């Protein structure tokens, strides 16, 4: 007779609580700058077009800035904006000494290339870590500004004391903003990383090997409970709307009792991503104004 499977106590990550405690540290750092007579950091956010989800994201990011005493400026351009007009706005922001970080909200209208735009942002003001120079520095292990979601994931793993040295890490999704950079960061922390994508054979079998499983596909509940190795750490980055409900890439209920740690689709990686945007902007501010420590 096979023994009954041991049910594991699954800890659900409190991404919001963690984000709030880091934001408190950031708020104190900015307060320190102001007390020293310096201006606060400023993030410029650019929104092109009328995508309603993007407008909500921008609002959330600006609110997060305000709550820690960081300035933000919003630049809205119509859907029909030519790429050249957006490039001149970016050039203006690059040369503005009062702007420390620049974020261009994605997705952009089809006529504008996100790669051309990413390349136009001053790498020292690249709060979202999307400039190719920063991506290259990430490979070299010398980047100050790294994409926000991967940074947020690493922060969760560290603050929950997840051992990465020698761990089998499986990342599903190879986007430039999540999958690729997080796989580099994990590899730099001495995890053995497998990067999966839509052509991966036997994805479930690969996932079952993972001590740390990171899902970033946008495919709702794709990762089933029996894809998870008992005791694994599961980071669910995906956010999809299904029947008016926000769901992740992982079948959350099935992961209960199997995973040791899991991030929920709400209040998980999302608040950490915004927090890393704030932290990147503070880094950029310090580097440019030579302020703080
Ligand atoms: P992309 O659409 O850019 O990339 C998706 C990746 O998933 C691709 O590499 C694709 O493979 C892979 N993929 C798609 N379907 C499958 C499949 N069936 N099996 C294996 N791999 C698959 O997505 P993003 O990285 O931008 O975002 C991923 C998810 O994370 C989205 O839901 C997004 O909303 C969410 N997100 C959440 C954030 C947060 O703060 N919480 C921040 C950023 C993203 P291939 O390359 O072969 O096409």
């Amino acid at each position: 007779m096979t023994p009954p499977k041991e049910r594991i106590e699954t800890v659900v990550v409190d991404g919001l609580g963690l984000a709030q405690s880091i934001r408190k540290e950031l708020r104190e750092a900015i307060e320190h700058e102001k007390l020293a007579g310096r201006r606060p950091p400023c993030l410029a956010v650019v929104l092109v077009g009328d995508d309603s989800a993007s407008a909500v994201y921008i609002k959330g990011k600006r609110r997060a800035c305000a709550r820690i005493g960081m300035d933000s400026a919003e630049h809205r351009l119509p859907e029909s904006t030519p790429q050249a007009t957006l490039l001149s706005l970016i050039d203006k922001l690059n040369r503005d000494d009062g702007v420390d970080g620049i974020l261009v909200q994605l997705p952009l209208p089809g006529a504008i290339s996100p790669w051309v735009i990413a390349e136009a942002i001053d790498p020292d003001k690249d709060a979202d870590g999307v400039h190719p120079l920063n991506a290259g520095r990430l490979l070299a292990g010398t980047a100050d500004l790294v994409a926000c979601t991967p940074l947020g994931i690493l922060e969760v793993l560290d603050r929950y004391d997840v051992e990465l040295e020698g761990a089998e890490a499986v990342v599903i999704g190879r986007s430039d903003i999540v999958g690729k950079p997080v796989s580099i960061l994990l590899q730099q922390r001495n995890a053995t990383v497998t990067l999966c994508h839509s052509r991966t054979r036997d994805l479930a079998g690969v996932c079952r090997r993972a001590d740390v499983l990171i899902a970033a596909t946008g495919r709702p509940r794709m990762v089933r409970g029996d894809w998870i190795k008992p005791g694994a750490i599961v980071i669910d980055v995906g956010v999809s709307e299904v029947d008016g409900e926000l769901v992740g890439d992982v079948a959350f209920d099935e992961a209960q009792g199997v995973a040791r740690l899991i991030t929920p689709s709400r209040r998980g990686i999302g608040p950490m991503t915004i927090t890393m945007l704030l932290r990147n902007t503070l880094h950029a501010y310090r580097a440019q104004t030579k302020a703080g420590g």
Side-chain angles (χ1 to χ4, degrees):
M1 211 172 80
T2 44
K5 277 189 192 156
E6 186 198 349
R7 195 175 160 82
I8 288 164
E9 185 83 24
T10 304
V11 173
V12 178
V13 167
D14 177 12
L16 184 61
L18 194 50
Q20 280 167 344
S21 79
I22 299 171
R23 287 182 203 184
K24 184 167 171 283
E25 294 162 16
L26 299 176
R27 191 172 58 234
E28 286 163 5
I30 292 171
E31 194 52 43
H32 176 79
E33 302 298 341
K34 290 183 186 168
L35 286 172
R38 289 186 281 265
R39 66 165 178 83
C42 176
L43 174 69
V45 294
V46 181
L47 177 58
V48 188
D50 314 309
D51 184 80
S52 55
S54 292
V56 172
Y57 292 144
I58 289 276
K59 203 171 152 199
K61 288 167 185 174
R62 293 198 67 203
R63 195 171 45 221
C65 287
R67 286 189 177 152
I68 62 161
M70 185 177 278
D71 284 346
S72 68
E74 184 170 324
H75 301 267
R76 277 197 187 222
L77 298 173
E79 182 84 20
S80 57
T81 300
Q83 182 167 287
T85 307
L86 178 56
L87 287 172
S88 9
L89 171 62
I90 292 172
D91 183 50
K92 197 171 121 223
L93 297 172
N94 284 343
R95 285 185 285 107
D96 186 339
D97 288 340
V99 169
D100 306 291
I102 301 170
L103 161 82
V104 179
Q105 184 66 43
L106 299 177
L108 288 165
I112 300 179
S113 159
W115 291 280
V116 171
I117 299 307
E119 223 165 322
I121 296 171
D122 179 343
D124 294 334
K125 296 190 177 189
D126 177 28
D128 235 1
V130 292
H131 192 284
L133 187 67
N134 288 321
R137 286 176 178 156
L138 171 63
L139 286 178
T142 58
D144 286 326
L145 299 173
V146 172
C148 302
T149 304
L151 280 181
I153 294 170
L154 262 286
E155 201 66 38
V156 166
L157 295 173
D158 284 343
R159 297 220 179 197
Y160 279 83
D161 292 325
V162 174
E163 175 68 61
L164 292 174
E165 178 97 19
E168 284 273 356
V170 171
V171 178
I172 324 173
R174 55 179 164 181
S175 70
D176 292 340
I177 59 161
V178 187
K180 279 184 210 162
V182 80
S183 68
I184 303 292
L185 291 174
L186 289 167
Q187 173 263 117
Q188 285 167 352
R189 298 286 295 276
N190 296 323
T192 302
V193 184
T194 305
L195 183 56
C196 303
H197 45 76
S198 64
R199 315 291 167 87
T200 298
R201 285 194 210 125
D202 186 20
L203 183 60
V206 177
C207 289
R208 279 186 204 109
R209 297 204 308 255
D211 302 311
V212 178
L213 178 60
I214 297 180
T217 67
R219 300 280 176 267
R221 301 189 183 110
M222 185 185 77
V223 176
R224 309 301 305 262
D226 64 358
W227 293 24
I228 300 170
K229 176 172 160 178
I233 306 300
V234 179
I235 304 287
D236 189 356
V237 180
V239 183
S240 309
E241 202 179 316
V242 178
D243 300 331
E245 191 197 343
L246 281 188
V247 297
D249 288 357
V250 179
F252 187 80
D253 293 344
E254 295 179 14
Q256 297 291 322
V258 185
R260 178 159 68 80
L261 189 77
I262 186 166
T263 59
S265 45
R266 283 174 71 90
R267 304 185 160 194
I269 292 300
M272 288 301 292
T273 295
I274 297 182
T275 303
M276 294 301 110
L277 172 69
L278 302 175
R279 200 171 76 180
N280 273 350
T281 306
L282 180 61
H283 276 323
Y285 163 85
R286 283 178 168 159
Q288 286 163 80
T289 62
K290 304 281 181 279

